């Protein structure tokens, strides 16, 4: 067969990532702080863009009643039950917009209200935030990869592998945030329990687990407790050392005779004990880099509604406003003569309009996803941290008609202020365990709670349950779980094995 060249015409479909679409995707995953930097760059580069520092028309956060939607760009309130009126772009495709479906999920029959604002050419965006996922240059990436890990990051990494349940992980995150640079807990545990709506015993239990993290002595509530944790780790904590730690004020006064009497030891033993005490680190957190103090400005507010539901509002108080200067465009367009000048002017106008449209789509998408998360986790806002439901990106993506990657970008570095505190949107996503009949899923947190309940019930029943027996009981309850998973959850809960529990019961 002879070889030759020929021309063929074929028709096909393909996704082209245009520079504008890349910009829209990038804006979606940026935090408010990073978004402000991007807007500042665009304001310097594009002469048709300008910042409007005037007060926004209407304030949804200050109104008690939902405002009427209008075409003039005023603030408006939209009911979630009428989702077909909420339009947003799912994958940031400029040619289409998402519309909520009719099969709206209802959680505990609580209605939610969403507020959106500034539908006109003027858009508000937040001036501050925390975190980020993207790097704008090699210098930023190199600085991020070579910087020293902070104490908060070090503790968070350990908490992620401690196999906490979702409520316990939420408590652990709050406790870690309350640790100062020296490594001590500074927030009252009762205040944390009241804010999260959980029992004080659960907060104390999580703190006990966190105090087992490295470095030893971390997250102690006082210096004596910090020293005690380190001595226990070295297996050097005895009654004499306990008496020495309880009387540190005598050591500070160098009243050695009173110390010998209190500890019941001679001079040589006391010298060894003091030397042991000096080898400890009273500031275990000082070995890690101090994290810059930044105030998290929430992107979304969740407030109780007068009708018993929840209002979801965009944070419009701290949002910068950008717009296209139409007067300046008209003036320059009239004076433009050459084709290059007209082309540059048209390009600036197109980029300015696209930026404003992308920012508007970003706000709508954040509002849309936040509303669905509040709907799915309604029980958390009502009853507290122990009522977090299993939730993943796919569930939210299917409910709002978006792709999972879009939901992931939206929930990264976005914060929501709730009556129970400020949380990242990713905080509300928890794992689940499939059932043995394949019809439903069980929350991993609820399974851990069942395991703990079964073991706690051993005191009343007198029967010590092995891991295999726990697996059988859970399978009878419809939970498909392996024995090694039960052992992993039991160890994460700091519960000894059945053999050790039998020995303790004797």
């Amino acid at each position: 067969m002879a070889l030759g060249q020929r021309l063929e015409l074929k028709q096909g479909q393909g996704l082209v990532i245009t520079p504008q679409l890349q910009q829209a995707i990038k804006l979606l995953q940026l935090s408010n702080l990073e978004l402000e930097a991007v807007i500042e760059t665009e304001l310097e580069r594009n002469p048709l863009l300008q910042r409007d520092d005037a007060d926004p028309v209407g304030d949804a956060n200050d109104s008690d009643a939902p405002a009427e939607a209008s075409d003039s760009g005023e603030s408006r309130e939209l009911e979630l039950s009428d989702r077909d009126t909420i339009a947003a772009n799912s994958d940031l495709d400029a040619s289409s917009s998402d519309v909520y479906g009719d099969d709206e999920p209802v959680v505990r029959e609580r209605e939610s209200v969403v507020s959106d604002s500034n539908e006109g050419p003027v858009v508000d965006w937040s001036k501050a935030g925390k975190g980020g996922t993207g790097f704008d240059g090699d210098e930023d990436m190199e600085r991020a990869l070579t910087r020293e890990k902070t104490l908060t990051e070090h503790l968070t990494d350990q908490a992620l592998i401690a196999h906490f349940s979702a409520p316990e992980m939420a408590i652990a995150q709050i406790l870690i945030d309350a640790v100062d640079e020296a490594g001590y807990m500074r927030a009252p545990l009762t205040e944390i329990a009241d804010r999260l709506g959980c029992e004080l015993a659960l907060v104390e239990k999580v703190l006990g687990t966190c105090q087992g993290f490295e470095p030893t002595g971390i997250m102690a509530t006082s210096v004596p407790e910090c020293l005690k944790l380190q001595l226990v780790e070295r297996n050097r904590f005895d009654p004499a050392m306990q008496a020495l730690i309880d009387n540190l004020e005598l050591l500070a006064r160098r009243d050695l005779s009173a110390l010998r009497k209190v500890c019941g030891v001679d001079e040589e033993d006391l010298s060894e004990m003091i030397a042991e005490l000096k080898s400890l680190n009273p500031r275990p957190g000082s070995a890690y880099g101090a994290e810059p103090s930044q105030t998290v400005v929430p992107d979304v507010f969740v407030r109780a509604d007068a009708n018993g539901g929840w209002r979801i509002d965009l944070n419009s108080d701290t949002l910068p406003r950008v717009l296209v200067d139409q007067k300046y465009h008209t003036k320059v367009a009239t004076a433009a003569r050459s084709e290059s000048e007209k082309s540059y002017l048209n390009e600036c106008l197109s980029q300015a309009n696209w930026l404003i449209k992308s920012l508007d789509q970003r706000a709508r998408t954040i509002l849309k996803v936040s509303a669905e998360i509040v709907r799915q986790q309604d029980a958390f806002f009502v009853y507290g941290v122990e009522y977090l439901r299993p939730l993943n990106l796919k569930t939210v993506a299917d409910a709002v008609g978006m792709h999972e990657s879009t939901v992931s970008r939206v929930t990264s570095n976005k914060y929501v202020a709730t009556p129970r505190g400020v949380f990242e949107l990713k905080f509300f996503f928890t794992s689940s365990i499939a059932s043995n009949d394949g019809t439903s899923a069980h929350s991993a947190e609820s399974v851990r709670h069942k395991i703990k309940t079964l073991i706690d019930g051993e005191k009343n029943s007198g029967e010590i349950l092995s891991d295999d027996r726990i697996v059988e009981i859970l399978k009878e309850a419809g939970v498909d779980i392996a024995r090694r998973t039960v052992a992993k959850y039991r160890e994460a809960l700091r519960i000894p094995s059945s053999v050790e529990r039998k020995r303790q019961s004797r």
Side-chain angles (χ1 to χ4, degrees):
M1 182 176 66
L3 298 178
Q5 296 179 345
R6 61 179 180 178
L7 295 176
E8 291 185 355
L9 184 63
K10 293 184 179 180
Q11 185 178 8
Q13 291 182 343
L15 178 62
V16 179
I17 305 297
T18 62
Q20 292 83 1
L21 186 57
Q22 292 179 5
Q23 180 194 52
I25 294 175
K26 179 182 178 182
L27 293 178
L28 185 62
Q29 65 185 4
L30 294 180
S31 65
N32 283 332
L33 188 61
E34 295 169 322
L35 181 64
E36 174 65 18
V38 172
I39 292 177
E40 288 294 338
T41 302
E42 291 295 326
L43 287 172
E44 295 175 359
R45 189 184 63 84
N46 195 330
L48 298 183
L49 276 175
Q50 72 173 24
R51 185 187 300 277
D52 184 10
D53 295 328
D55 294 335
V57 181
D59 189 358
N61 294 332
D62 296 335
S63 60
D64 297 330
E68 295 294 333
S70 65
D71 297 332
S72 60
E74 294 183 349
S75 300
R76 59 197 176 104
E77 303 280 353
L78 299 177
E79 292 285 347
L80 281 183
S81 58
D82 189 16
R83 286 185 166 178
D84 57 346
T85 64
I86 303 178
N89 191 296
S90 63
D91 291 320
L92 301 173
D93 187 351
S95 62
S96 63
S97 60
D98 290 320
V99 179
Y100 281 110
D102 297 331
D103 50 346
E104 155 189 17
V106 179
V107 179
R108 299 184 182 273
E109 299 181 354
R110 294 177 64 88
E111 293 296 331
S112 301
V113 179
V114 184
S115 74
D116 194 1
S117 61
N118 301 327
E119 194 180 20
V122 180
V123 183
D124 280 353
W125 306 109
S126 177
K127 291 183 178 179
K130 180 180 179 182
T133 57
F135 297 99
D136 294 331
D138 295 336
E139 294 181 358
D140 293 336
M141 179 174 291
E142 182 179 359
R143 182 164 53 252
L145 293 177
T146 58
R147 69 176 178 85
E148 185 179 2
K149 181 178 290 189
T150 64
L151 177 61
T152 299
E153 293 173 346
H154 180 67
L155 295 176
T156 301
D157 292 342
Q158 297 181 75
L160 291 175
I161 62 176
H163 301 290
F164 282 127
S165 64
E168 292 172 347
M169 187 62 190
I171 297 173
Q173 290 176 343
I174 300 299
L175 293 175
I176 290 173
D177 290 339
V179 176
D180 62 8
E181 296 181 358
Y184 289 92
M185 278 291 307
R186 297 307 183 189
L189 301 185
T190 54
E191 178 182 333
I192 295 177
D194 293 339
R195 179 152 61 94
L196 293 179
C198 61
E199 297 180 355
L200 179 61
L202 180 59
V203 178
E204 294 174 344
K205 173 178 173 295
V206 174
L207 178 60
T209 303
C210 293
Q211 288 178 345
F213 294 166
E214 291 291 334
T216 306
I218 201 68
M219 299 184 70
T221 57
S222 63
V223 174
E225 185 179 20
C226 176
L227 300 177
K228 175 183 175 181
L229 293 172
Q230 298 180 55
L231 290 170
V232 171
E233 177 71 16
R234 299 183 181 186
N235 197 22
R236 298 281 294 174
F237 189 75
D238 52 24
M241 190 64 78
Q242 172 72 62
L244 177 60
I245 291 179
D246 292 341
N247 295 273
L248 290 178
E249 68 280 358
L250 296 178
L251 181 61
R253 296 200 304 262
R254 301 189 63 82
D255 192 353
L256 301 184
S257 59
L259 279 177
R260 287 195 298 270
K261 184 181 300 183
V262 170
C263 298
V265 297
D266 56 21
E267 184 176 353
E268 182 179 357
D269 291 337
L270 181 60
S271 299
E272 293 178 358
M273 292 168 58
I274 294 176
E276 182 78 21
L277 207 61
K278 290 181 178 180
S279 66
L280 304 178
N281 183 9
R283 296 174 60 88
S286 60
Y288 296 86
E291 185 175 6
S293 179
Q294 294 182 349
T295 302
V296 175
V297 178
D299 301 82
V300 181
F301 290 106
V302 176
R303 299 180 297 163
D305 187 70
N307 298 326
W310 300 103
R311 274 176 66 132
I312 301 94
D313 303 312
L314 285 175
N315 186 1
S316 59
D317 293 336
T318 58
L319 303 178
R321 297 161 55 93
V322 294
L323 52 82
V324 178
D325 193 343
Q326 297 290 352
K327 293 183 179 180
Y328 182 72
H329 171 260
T330 303
K331 179 180 179 180
V332 176
T334 304
R337 298 180 180 180
S338 64
E339 291 296 329
S340 60
E341 293 176 352
K342 295 179 181 179
S343 176
Y344 173 73
L345 188 61
N346 292 334
E347 181 182 356
C348 290
L349 180 62
S350 176
Q351 292 178 353
N353 288 330
W354 181 267
L355 175 63
I356 291 179
K357 183 176 182 180
S358 298
L359 294 176
D360 182 66
Q361 290 174 351
R362 176 182 182 272
R364 291 175 176 272
T365 306
I366 292 174
L367 192 65
K368 192 175 182 180
V369 172
S370 301
E372 182 59 29
I373 291 176
V374 172
R375 177 177 294 277
Q376 294 284 347
Q377 298 289 5
D378 178 80
F380 165 78
F381 299 100
V382 180
Y383 301 108
V385 69
E386 296 191 29
Y387 288 86
L388 279 172
R389 296 178 53 194
L391 186 64
N392 53 34
L393 294 174
K394 187 177 186 302
T395 302
V396 176
D398 293 341
V400 299
M402 296 180 181
H403 194 270
E404 293 180 40
S405 62
T406 303
V407 177
S408 178
R409 292 187 182 97
V410 169
T411 54
S412 297
N413 304 297
K414 310 297 188 303
Y415 293 86
V416 53
T418 72
R420 300 193 178 275
V422 179
F423 303 93
E424 189 178 8
L425 287 178
K426 283 190 177 295
F427 162 81
F428 297 100
F429 293 96
T430 59
S431 59
S432 61
I433 297 178
S435 61
N436 51 18
D437 55 6
T439 58
S440 60
H442 299 271
S443 170
E445 293 71 36
S446 65
V447 173
R448 293 189 185 97
H449 180 71
K450 290 178 181 178
I451 294 174
K452 186 177 184 301
T453 302
L454 290 173
I455 296 177
D456 291 342
E458 293 175 347
K459 298 179 181 179
N460 299 328
S461 63
E463 178 187 3
I464 303 299
L465 301 177
S466 64
D467 292 343
D468 292 327
R469 178 55 182 159
I470 294 176
V471 170
E472 294 176 0
I473 296 175
L474 291 178
K475 286 187 175 181
E476 292 175 359
V479 181
D480 186 12
I481 190 171
R483 187 195 64 80
R484 62 179 178 273
T485 306
V486 172
K488 181 179 68 175
Y489 288 172
R490 176 179 53 77
E491 293 173 358
L493 294 171
R494 299 300 178 98
I495 298 176
S497 64
S498 58
V499 177
E500 296 178 355
R501 297 201 304 274
K502 287 180 181 179
R503 186 181 300 112
Q504 293 175 1
S505 65
R506 298 194 192 101

